[in-house]
Amino acid sequence: MKHFFGTAASRTTALAPSPTDGSAAHSAPRTNPTDTAALHAHLQDLSLHLTALAEATPLSLAEDLFRAQPWLADALDRDRAAGVFAHWGRSTAVDENVGSAVLAAPVLNVLSARAGLPATAPEANAGLLHVYGYLYAPVQTPYGTKRERWIDGELAGALGLPATHFRPEDGESTPLARLTEVLLPLFSGGPRRGDLLRLREQVTPSLAAHTLLYQARPGSPGPAALAYALEDSRGIHLVTAFPYAGSAGELCSVHVSAPPRLRYNALTP
């Protein structure tokens, strides 16, 4: 299996400095490691570089991003062609815990445009933002950076999958396609193994929200997987998934402590 982040022969690939600025401050990280800690560090450095580049020379951002990360362009093209984004709702990059966007608007707009979606940052397709966008989000939240769920393996483990299942590696499908294939059956009542808690909130007369807490291996000391989706007359709109270390009782308490509302940075589909 070839790694999206580069083979051993290509891991020195770097973003070229912007032709309009030429300063060393905007040259990209020059390593592309694959172990978890080093990959976090590499993506954080790349995220900061992209943010600086977006502010300085937004017109060169797409060229630089996709030249440095060719796997990303391929994944967006494949998801666009396969209609994967249609299974997802809308979200905002403004995180409710931080109070500001976790991803620079030009970076999110570049991703949206390549995916054939409206470039309306901080709003975006939830799948695009929560998977691909979060990989390049440099902002620390109270729960760490947003990319951790796709790299650390905790979410995959809670879903009964290998730790590397959602890492950006090429193969038979893209990271977003793999996530979509896992989540849709959970929300639609398809075949599953493990413990499942479903909480339903009627947000408006025409819009319901579903929060699932799932653990494929009951009794595992690791976190469960929390998944969230909205439902209207058109069907299910996936929003997000992440590891959840709390108990089912704690999650229920959160839901009953306030009136029904959109959660996890979701927007009305």
Side-chain angles (χ1 to χ4, degrees):
M1 178 178 288
K2 182 182 69 178
H3 289 274
F4 273 139
F5 286 103
T7 61
S10 64
R11 287 174 190 161
T12 56
T13 302
L15 285 170
S18 164
T20 60
D21 111 7
S23 68
H26 288 298
S27 60
R30 296 189 178 276
T31 58
N32 223 355
T34 55
D35 65 277
T36 299
L39 183 54
H40 271 304
H42 168 73
L43 283 175
Q44 184 70 5
D45 288 346
L46 180 57
S47 300
L48 294 171
H49 166 78
L50 292 174
T51 300
L53 183 62
E55 294 172 353
T57 56
L59 292 180
S60 67
L61 180 60
E63 178 183 352
D64 282 6
L65 173 58
F66 296 130
R67 181 170 64 243
Q69 302 280 268
W71 76 267
L72 180 58
D74 177 69
L76 294 172
D77 291 347
R78 293 168 68 186
D79 287 337
R80 177 180 183 176
V84 177
F85 297 112
H87 294 292
W88 291 80
R90 296 170 61 246
S91 183
T92 175
V94 178
D95 182 71
E96 58 188 23
N97 293 300
V98 177
S100 60
V102 298
L103 182 65
V107 179
L108 181 54
N109 282 339
V110 161
L111 296 175
S112 295
R114 181 72 187 224
L117 300 166
T120 55
E123 299 179 5
N125 178 274
L128 176 101
L129 171 61
H130 287 242
V131 177
Y132 301 119
Y134 280 1
L135 283 173
Y136 302 98
V139 176
Q140 289 282 342
T141 76
Y143 307 101
T145 57
K146 297 285 192 176
R147 73 177 63 92
E148 292 174 13
R149 67 191 70 172
W150 310 125
I151 296 174
D152 290 352
E154 289 188 335
L155 176 61
L159 292 166
L161 301 165
T164 59
H165 190 75
F166 297 123
R167 279 199 182 192
E169 300 173 343
D170 64 355
E172 296 182 359
S173 62
T174 69
L176 183 60
R178 293 194 290 273
L179 180 63
T180 305
E181 291 165 359
V182 171
L183 294 185
L184 280 178
L186 295 180
F187 284 100
S188 63
R192 60 176 174 80
R193 291 181 294 178
D195 291 336
L196 176 68
L197 170 71
R198 180 192 296 269
L199 300 175
R200 185 182 186 277
E201 295 178 292
Q202 195 69 38
V203 179
T204 71
S206 60
L207 183 66
H210 300 275
T211 303
L212 303 183
L213 194 61
Y214 181 69
Q215 194 161 45
R217 303 184 182 97
S220 168
L226 190 151
Y228 186 72
L230 301 177
E231 183 179 16
D232 60 16
S233 60
R234 295 170 293 165
I236 290 288
H237 309 274
L238 301 174
V239 175
T240 194
F242 54 88
Y244 180 77
S247 67
E250 290 169 336
L251 183 63
C252 290
S253 297
V254 169
H255 279 254
V256 302
S257 63
R261 63 175 179 84
L262 294 179
R263 302 178 186 274
Y264 311 116
N265 307 320
L267 298 173
T268 302

